[in-house]
Amino acid sequence: MISVVEKETGALFGGLWTSLSDEQYRDSVELFTKRAVANNFDLNWLKGKKCLDAGCGSGRYSVAMAIHGAGSVTAVDVSETGLVEASRRAAEFSQITFKQASVLDLPFEDSTFDFVWSAGVIHHTSDFDKALSELTRVLRPGGKLFLLVYGAGGLRWKAIKALRPIVVDLGTEFVDEAIRVAGLPANNRKHFMDDLFVPVQKLTSFAELATKLPKLGYSDIDRWTGETFDHESNPAAQLEDIVKLEQIAHACLGLAKTATQRYLTQLAHQTATLYVEIARKAMNDTSITPADIRDVVIGEGNHRIVATKS
Ligand SMILES: C[S@@+](CC[C@H](N)C(=O)[O-])C[C@H]1O[C@@H](n2cnc3c(N)ncnc32)[C@H](O)[C@@H]1O
């Protein structure tokens, strides 16, 4: 049974994948390999493995696992529209099977999979712990879990959290149009619409994960700290991303028609501008270390973790 929050989340994401060009999609598949290599994950290990892509979205990582020789990939998501798009993108890979299901209630027997991959999903569910325990239940002992969840801290998340209650009253169509007017690329559209409108967005500290995973029976917890190939690569890249928020807010100003929209868009623009100023100030602060700057601007960044189930 898929809940109202899951339906809303699925509908938001389902509409975001179609705007990616074939080249952007291929690049997004390639990120799997780049990040695995940068973090010394042995991609040969995947050969012949029974994999689950839990919350597969566009299917980019299911495709990547198939390319690296996975025996089978079962890809699940709550989003019907997302699954249609993912199936289209992955049509040439017969080892991938798509299925509509929630990570809160996976329709698989215990210990079904050798590898459970879940990137950017469980922090959007109404029950983070239940999702984590479901992913663990379907993983066989000795199998590996890959988890990407949002980390704590950083100015970008603070800017997003400050903007969310403002843009919710402007609506998704209004902000989507502002992203178009701001001239940002299609892959940025997904990134910002997701962050600004997804119903549930939990940030998790590494300390919280480091407590939870061993209690669920995980060991060999490997935290990927290598190159991220995204806006969290370094504080300058993160600042660029915060500047894009300001550009979106600026485009919103020009789209305002009603009095409410005029005031809300001013509030959004001033809020985004403030975060840009503070991020620039932190980056130019010669009295603190580069590690401090990273901590202020990026915070913990997304956690990418591989752990083995005992
Ligand atoms: C940020 S996207 C990540 C997609 C994909 N893993 C990737 O990295 O490209 C989050 C995905 O989780 C899905 N999702 C959200 N809640 C879910 C749930 N309870 N069960 C399964 N999928 C869910 C959304 O529909 C969306 O496709």
Side-chain angles (χ1 to χ4, degrees):
M1 172 74 176
I2 292 182
S3 71
V4 175
V5 168
E6 288 166 326
K7 276 192 189 138
E8 275 179 24
T9 307
L12 172 70
F13 281 109
L16 295 178
W17 312 120
T18 44
S19 48
L20 292 184
S21 68
D22 288 350
E23 193 189 348
Q24 283 167 334
Y25 187 77
R26 268 197 306 277
D27 288 348
S28 75
V29 171
E30 186 55 25
L31 278 174
F32 178 97
T33 312
K34 284 185 177 170
R35 290 187 178 130
V37 169
N39 290 283
N40 304 314
F41 179 80
D42 179 12
L43 286 163
N44 284 320
W45 180 85
L46 279 172
K47 291 207 178 359
K49 294 289 190 299
K50 206 172 168 185
C51 304
L52 174 68
D53 186 355
C56 63
S58 67
R60 58 178 170 159
Y61 294 134
S62 305
V63 168
M65 287 188 261
I67 288 172
H68 285 289
S72 67
V73 183
T74 305
V76 303
D77 202 288
V78 283
S79 173
E80 251 173 83
T81 46
L83 286 166
V84 169
E85 177 62 6
S87 309
R88 185 185 75 77
R89 297 277 192 185
E92 66 186 275
F93 297 94
S94 57
Q95 64 276 55
I96 307 176
T97 314
F98 292 97
K99 190 177 175 67
Q100 189 180 27
S102 170
V103 292
L104 295 175
D105 186 16
L106 289 167
F108 309 111
E109 300 285 313
D110 296 0
S111 307
T112 300
F113 299 99
D114 301 308
F115 189 40
V116 170
W117 171 279
S118 188
V121 180
I122 69 170
H123 47 230
H124 293 316
T125 68
S126 53
D127 193 339
F128 186 95
D129 290 342
K130 175 80 193 324
L132 195 51
S133 85
E134 273 294 273
L135 298 177
T136 306
R137 180 183 67 74
V138 300
L139 182 62
R140 71 160 168 84
K144 290 184 197 293
L145 169 74
F146 171 94
L147 198 61
L148 182 153
V149 292
Y150 296 154
L155 288 173
R156 183 179 179 281
W157 279 128
K158 289 181 174 53
I160 293 283
K161 294 282 186 193
L163 288 167
R164 278 167 62 94
I166 308 171
V167 296
V168 79
D169 286 349
L170 293 169
T172 50
E173 278 178 28
F174 187 100
V175 176
D176 206 5
E177 177 60 8
I179 293 173
R180 195 191 61 75
V181 171
L184 300 181
N187 46 352
N188 278 188
R189 171 177 176 247
K190 187 224 139 257
H191 168 79
F192 289 111
M193 290 298 285
D194 161 0
D195 288 346
L196 291 170
F197 289 102
V198 72
V200 180
Q201 187 181 64
K202 173 180 157 41
L203 309 183
T204 304
S205 70
F206 183 71
E208 188 181 335
L209 282 180
T211 307
K212 285 188 171 152
L213 291 172
K215 281 191 189 152
L216 288 166
Y218 289 100
S219 58
D220 296 336
I221 297 166
D222 182 18
R223 189 179 184 185
W224 287 13
T225 53
E227 174 61 82
T228 61
F229 306 97
D230 61 7
H231 60 285
E232 294 183 343
S233 290
N234 53 63
Q238 184 82 329
L239 170 63
E240 217 176 283
D241 211 65
I242 301 172
V243 168
K244 286 180 183 170
L245 276 175
E246 190 273 329
Q247 289 168 348
I248 296 167
H250 187 263
C252 283
L253 288 175
L255 295 174
K257 290 194 180 67
T258 67
T260 304
Q261 286 173 345
R262 277 201 302 279
Y263 281 98
L264 285 179
T265 54
Q266 281 175 41
L267 183 58
H269 186 244
Q270 286 185 21
T271 303
T273 304
L274 179 63
Y275 279 91
V276 170
E277 275 172 21
I278 293 292
R280 284 210 173 105
K281 189 173 173 192
M283 286 186 56
N284 293 325
D285 188 344
T286 50
S287 72
I288 59 175
T289 65
D292 285 337
I293 292 175
R294 195 183 163 85
D295 193 40
V296 172
V297 179
I298 303 180
E300 291 189 331
N302 288 333
H303 301 301
R304 291 185 175 87
I305 280 164
V306 176
T308 305
K309 182 174 163 184
S310 331

